[in-house]
Amino acid sequence: QVQLVESGGGLVQAGGSLRLSCAASGSIFRINVMGWYRQAPGKQRELVTGISDGGTTNYDDSVKGRFTISRDNAKNTVYLQMNMLKPEDTAVYYCNAEIKPRGSYYVRNYWGQGTQVTVSS
């Protein structure tokens, strides 16, 4: 059973920083892309950033220059360093990963449980 477990959310003042972590565990053969999505109240879930297994990254324009995604392949973990946080960054942040479980022919999409990030003005 593969699962993603997130940690690191919380309440921070505008201009502050938070670091999110997401660890994949279980019977994993390979992890392809890992990424972070967020969903604010009343809005659709949106892609914030992603990183390939080779380290290629992409960012939504709204977070470029403020957020940094990284991953530790040995630990099956992805991180999101969030700096210069703004009130509009307030959302539930979800980790996502494309994972090929051991013994499976297929790559599946997995989600973390979500972690709340609240930025006060």
Side-chain angles (χ1 to χ4, degrees):
Q1 191 80 354
V2 174
Q3 62 177 351
L4 301 180
V5 178
E6 304 165 9
S7 60
L11 173 64
V12 65
Q13 288 188 332
S17 298
L18 282 174
R19 188 188 193 216
L20 306 183
S21 300
C22 171
S25 63
S27 185
I28 296 170
F29 178 75
R30 185 180 69 245
I31 303 178
N32 296 335
V33 176
M34 304 185 82
W36 292 93
Y37 288 69
R38 66 186 180 188
Q39 187 167 19
K43 294 187 177 182
Q44 290 190 332
R45 191 174 299 189
E46 62 178 6
L47 175 64
V48 177
T49 178
I51 184 168
S52 71
D53 55 351
T56 301
T57 60
N58 65 283
Y59 296 92
D60 184 79
D61 286 345
S62 65
V63 305
K64 281 181 181 177
R66 300 188 298 121
F67 290 11
T68 302
I69 189 171
S70 60
R71 65 190 281 175
D72 184 334
N73 291 330
K75 295 181 179 180
N76 290 337
T77 299
V78 63
Y79 306 96
L80 181 62
Q81 178 66 43
M82 303 184 293
N83 298 329
M84 297 181 287
L85 282 161
K86 304 176 181 179
E88 50 263 45
D89 295 319
T90 295
V92 178
Y93 283 70
Y94 296 92
C95 174
N96 175 268
E98 295 178 355
I99 297 175
K100 186 176 186 296
R102 290 188 185 278
S104 173
Y105 288 109
Y106 306 107
V107 173
R108 288 185 56 191
N109 206 27
Y110 291 86
W111 291 92
Q113 79 282 7
T115 185
Q116 178 69 46
V117 171
T118 303
V119 184
S120 63
S121 57

